[in-house]
Amino acid sequence: MNRFDEALRELGLTDLHSRIRRFPDATRTAAEAAAAIGCELSQICKSLIFAADGVPVLVLMDGASRVDVELVRKELGAEKVTRAKADVVRETTGYAIGGVPPFGHRTKTRVLADRSLLDHDVVWAAAGNPHAVFPMAPKDLIAHAGATLVDVREQTQTQTS
């Protein structure tokens, strides 16, 4: 049994097994996952690890948006927030980048979920490896991840003429 299967069992989510979709090609990026599933890019839930003053923190973000590290820094009251290196991601979560699920990690980390995830009835997240994803209602996903709902999405500058 892999780590993600174990996490589903511990969370009482074994019924999710039947909804996991596996793909022959990697769905490592949000764009690859959205194309494989046939959903909007914003329906992908990215699980991103950052280091806030050296302490790993998980940020859940919709696939069409970028995380504003300055907003994360303010939210956490940290001095410095940076993207975690691949070895830190694996050490913290037990998963490789591209397959990090929103919950079921090796270590307990602080979790922030961007409010944009609530724009959808269902979002898709990585299921422990780059070839598998699962669907879940955003509210349930945020609850199972133990996340705090925040606004940490990078605001795109749109010009009106």
Side-chain angles (χ1 to χ4, degrees), residues 70-78 110 112 148-152:
E70 181 58 20
L71 292 176
V72 172
R73 189 191 69 71
K74 286 179 185 164
E75 186 65 44
L76 298 172
R110 180 122 180 237
L112 302 178
T148 303
L149 209 52
V150 294
D151 291 302
V152 292

Side-chain angles (χ1 to χ4, degrees), residues 63-101:
S65 301
R66 293 173 57 96
V67 174
D68 184 326
V69 290
E70 181 58 20
L71 292 176
V72 172
R73 189 191 69 71
K74 286 179 185 164
E75 186 65 44
L76 298 172
E79 291 289 317
K80 184 180 178 191
V81 173
T82 57
R83 198 73 181 256
K85 291 184 172 38
D87 59 331
V88 173
V89 172
R90 187 179 280 282
E91 198 177 287
T92 302
T93 66
Y95 304 97
I97 290 174
V100 178

Side-chain angles (χ1 to χ4, degrees), residues 3-22:
R3 178 180 303 284
F4 189 65
D5 291 336
E6 241 171 72
L8 292 181
R9 195 173 42 76
E10 286 170 16
L11 290 165
L13 296 173
T14 50
D15 63 318
L16 203 58
H17 283 289
S18 63
R19 290 186 284 155
I20 291 175
R21 291 190 41 197
R22 288 171 175 70

Side-chain angles (χ1 to χ4, degrees), residues 44-64:
I44 301 299
C45 174
K46 299 188 286 193
S47 298
L48 306 168
I49 299 287
F50 290 86
D53 296 337
V55 177
V57 60
L58 173 65
V59 178
L60 304 176
M61 177 60 69
D62 80 81

Side-chain angles (χ1 to χ4, degrees), residues 21 23 27 29-45 62-64 120-125 133-136:
R21 291 190 41 197
F23 298 99
T27 52
T29 67
E32 288 169 349
I37 296 161
C39 69
E40 290 177 41
L41 188 56
S42 59
Q43 284 180 273
I44 301 299
C45 174
D62 80 81
H120 300 284
D121 294 333
V122 171
V123 292
W124 293 81
V133 293
F134 69 92
M136 187 175 267

